[in-house]
Amino acid sequence: MNLRFLPARGKQQGLSLIELMIALVLGLVVIGGVAGVFLANRESYRTSEALGRMQENARYAFEVLGRSVRAAGGNPCGVDKVANVLNNQSSTWWANWGNALRGFEGGNATDDTAFPKAIGTTVASRVGGTDALIVITGSDDTGVVVVDHNPTSAQFKVNTQQHGLNDGDVVMACDTDHAAIFQVTNANSSNVTIVHNTGTGTPGNCSKGLGYPTVCTTNATPYQFDKGGFLVKLKAEAWYVGINPRGGRSLYRMLLNGTPQEFVPDVSNVQMQYLLQDATDYAPADSVNDWLKVRAVRVELTTTDPTVRVNGGNLSRTWAVVFTPRNVFQ
């Protein structure tokens, strides 16, 4: 029997140490490249998402601010003459109809006495160096129609029991002749009577006579508002940049009741300038001598995202818009 002898196979050999090191280095290079692309894409996504949020915040801030500025000094009847029988109206921020639109410079130390929220470091305090704005208007969706007005008894009759008015509300009555601002001293929810007497309320009424011009004695300048006129709640808003509960900054709104509300988050700065009648350029608030002559407001707003860092600071963008009040004050 013939035996065939197969050639001996070569011995199987593994990787050398050098080959293993080269493979590891190449693997690390590939993994590093993939990780770099992943991290870059993640940062790009985070930045794009943050920019979208900041743009949305700016858009909403401009929407609410613009709506407020455009309504400044308005009333449902569109009349220019406005009587005001509120006590201490010149020293009460929300009662001073003579300045239905009023701005405040951020670097002006006297703002603390004039503006409803002082500069400070606590939650809802105003941030120093940021501008602020007060807007007062009688244009609102809460109006009811006047059915009858008795100046002697200081009583209005309105068209519905669901008038939404309460004792202490500050309201504006108007017809085709003029408007008048006063405080409700008694609003009966079971009928349609709204009373505007003297002697009660804060600040209270200096007169129950609602004629124009205002005379502050008990029965001075009586006037009977026409049937078909309107009663509407007076709306006052103070806008400013304040410190939010998270330690950042937000756009705040303070209403007539004095309660500050965080309205738009992550607004770090607001700067405002004003275009006066017959002027060719915008001016800061401390250069405005007569707020009734303001024809446009330029608002520059900075939004910030605290979660994204760029060049050693938080990602931020500045936006600018011009608003024009609808109501010609003078």
Side-chain angles (χ1 to χ4, degrees), residues 128-131 241 249 266-271 300-304:
T130 62
D131 292 351
V241 174
R249 300 180 180 184
D266 301 325
V267 175
S268 57
N269 194 10
V270 169
Q271 298 295 318
E300 189 177 273
L301 183 145
T302 302
T303 54
T304 303

Side-chain angles (χ1 to χ4, degrees), residues 199-239:
T200 61
T202 302
N205 301 315
C206 68
S207 173
K208 63 180 182 180
L210 302 182
Y212 181 87
T214 303
V215 177
C216 271
T217 58
T218 302
N219 296 306
T221 324
Y223 179 81
Q224 183 176 4
F225 278 90
D226 293 339
K227 179 180 180 180
F230 292 93
L231 277 182
V232 61
K233 287 184 182 181
L234 193 71
K235 185 177 181 181
E237 298 176 327
W239 296 95

Side-chain angles (χ1 to χ4, degrees), residues 15-303:
L15 297 174
S16 68
L17 180 60
I18 295 176
E19 291 172 327
L20 180 61
M21 292 178 64
I22 292 174
L24 288 174
V25 169
L26 292 176
L28 289 174
V29 169
V30 172
I31 293 173
V34 172
V37 171
F38 172 77
L39 292 175
N41 286 340
R42 188 179 67 172
E43 284 302 309
S44 177
Y45 173 78
R46 288 183 61 200
T47 301
S48 297
E49 188 179 37
L51 286 171
R53 285 195 303 268
M54 291 161 55
Q55 186 174 18
E56 185 63 28
N57 285 345
R59 184 183 296 114
Y60 182 59
F62 284 138
E63 173 67 24
V64 294
L65 271 173
R67 189 185 309 156
S68 185
V69 170
R70 285 189 288 268
N75 60 77
C77 304
V79 292
D80 296 329
K81 298 185 298 182
V82 180
N84 190 342
V85 300
L86 294 175
N87 288 316
N88 303 318
Q89 57 184 265
S90 62
S91 59
T92 305
W93 73 271
W94 47 260
N96 189 357
W97 184 259
N99 289 324
L101 178 70
R102 196 172 6 147
F104 298 85
E105 279 296 299
N108 191 342
T110 60
D111 288 0
D112 291 350
T113 58
F115 200 73
K117 196 63 180 176
I119 294 173
T121 58
T122 58
V123 172
S125 295
R126 184 176 163 213
V127 176
T130 62
D131 292 351
L133 184 70
I134 285 176
V135 178
I136 307 174
T137 181
S139 298
D140 206 342
D141 298 328
T142 59
V144 292
V145 177
V146 174
V147 175
D148 182 60
H149 179 217
N150 187 332
T152 304
S153 61
Q155 292 185 352
F156 283 94
K157 299 288 186 181
V158 296
N159 65 325
T160 176
Q161 291 185 1
Q162 284 75 46
H163 46 68
L165 299 175
N166 301 294
D167 295 3
D169 282 348
V170 177
V171 301
M172 173 183 283
C174 71
D175 61 13
T176 56
D177 182 77
H178 74 278
I181 298 171
F182 60 89
Q183 189 168 33
V184 174
T185 57
N186 184 270
N188 197 326
S189 59
S190 63
N191 60 34
V192 293
T193 303
I194 309 296
V195 183
H196 57 94
N197 220 324
T198 59
T200 61
T202 302
N205 301 315
C206 68
S207 173
K208 63 180 182 180
L210 302 182
Y212 181 87
T214 303
V215 177
C216 271
T217 58
T218 302
N219 296 306
T221 324
Y223 179 81
Q224 183 176 4
F225 278 90
D226 293 339
K227 179 180 180 180
F230 292 93
L231 277 182
V232 61
K233 287 184 182 181
L234 193 71
K235 185 177 181 181
E237 298 176 327
W239 296 95
Y240 67 98
V241 174
I243 299 173
N244 61 38
R246 302 170 298 281
R249 300 180 180 184
S250 297
L251 181 66
Y252 274 78
R253 180 180 73 166
M254 181 178 286
L255 297 177
L256 189 146
N257 61 11
T259 302
Q261 302 171 333
E262 183 184 0
F263 217 74
V264 183
D266 301 325
V267 175
S268 57
N269 194 10
V270 169
Q271 298 295 318
M272 301 183 189
Q273 292 182 312
Y274 306 88
L275 182 66
L276 302 181
Q277 185 180 21
D278 301 326
T280 58
D281 202 0
Y282 287 85
D286 54 10
S287 298
V288 178
N289 296 320
D290 187 352
W291 289 99
L292 295 176
K293 293 183 178 180
V294 172
R295 291 294 174 263
V297 182
R298 184 181 187 274
V299 179
E300 189 177 273
L301 183 145
T302 302
T303 54

